[in-house]
Amino acid sequence: QLLVGTTVGAFEIDAPRRSSRPLPAPPGYEGRLVAGIAMPADGALWMSTEAGVYERPRGGDWRQRYAGGATALRIDRDGSVWAGTPTRGALRFAGERIERVGPADGMPDNRVRATLQDFDGNYWLGGNGGLVGLQTLAFRAIGARQG
């Protein structure tokens, strides 16, 4: 199953049939930019948009988990959902908890444009200020000073 966020909404791609179908969007958000989309093992649907981060549990209704612009969206090995934001750093949604990682945690600035979990389980956040690696609750910033 391939899920794609576009400037006009989110779609599910059926490659063998060479077709696509629009995915349901949060109310009032149909046909607008979806910056990130993910579906964890529990079947919920998550979207990051310029209006916030939304979750729709399997068989449930949409709810906004964060109000504000959100860019990257990714699920880690533990099932937590990570979202990058242009002004608030990275957000980690673990169950009902929301944790924020920003400059107070060692990030060079608040803009997070990309997220990635590597083969060793380390989490990486990329933004205008550089690349930040999160490893076992320790944060390491890699920027201009480090070359």
Side-chain angles (χ1 to χ4, degrees):
Q1 184 177 32
L2 179 62
L3 306 177
V4 179
T6 73
T7 57
V8 293
F11 297 86
E12 179 179 16
I13 307 298
D14 185 340
R17 291 193 177 121
R18 296 178 184 242
S19 65
S20 66
R21 70 174 180 91
L23 290 172
Y29 209 76
E30 294 84 1
R32 295 175 60 194
L33 172 69
V34 174
I37 187 166
M39 185 179 290
D42 66 5
L45 184 61
W46 286 76
M47 285 186 188
S48 61
T49 70
E50 59 196 356
V53 177
Y54 297 88
E55 174 192 19
R56 192 189 81 188
R58 175 178 269 170
D61 294 323
W62 284 105
R63 72 177 178 145
Q64 190 173 38
R65 296 292 305 269
Y66 168 74
T71 53
L73 190 72
R74 189 169 307 269
I75 301 165
D76 69 17
R77 291 180 187 171
D78 299 324
S80 296
V81 176
W82 289 80
T85 74
T87 59
R88 302 269 306 161
L91 305 172
R92 179 178 174 256
F93 301 87
E96 292 301 311
R97 281 191 348 252
I98 301 174
E99 300 168 356
R100 180 176 174 261
V101 179
D105 305 300
M107 289 188 57
D109 65 25
N110 275 314
R111 187 172 189 82
V112 175
R113 299 177 55 96
T115 65
L116 174 73
Q117 188 170 33
D118 66 23
F119 291 109
D120 295 323
N122 302 311
Y123 216 80
W124 296 88
L125 305 172
N128 290 0
L131 183 65
V132 176
L134 285 61
Q135 301 170 324
T136 319
L137 301 177
F139 304 96
R140 181 178 68 207
I142 301 172
R145 276 190 274 162
Q146 293 77 25

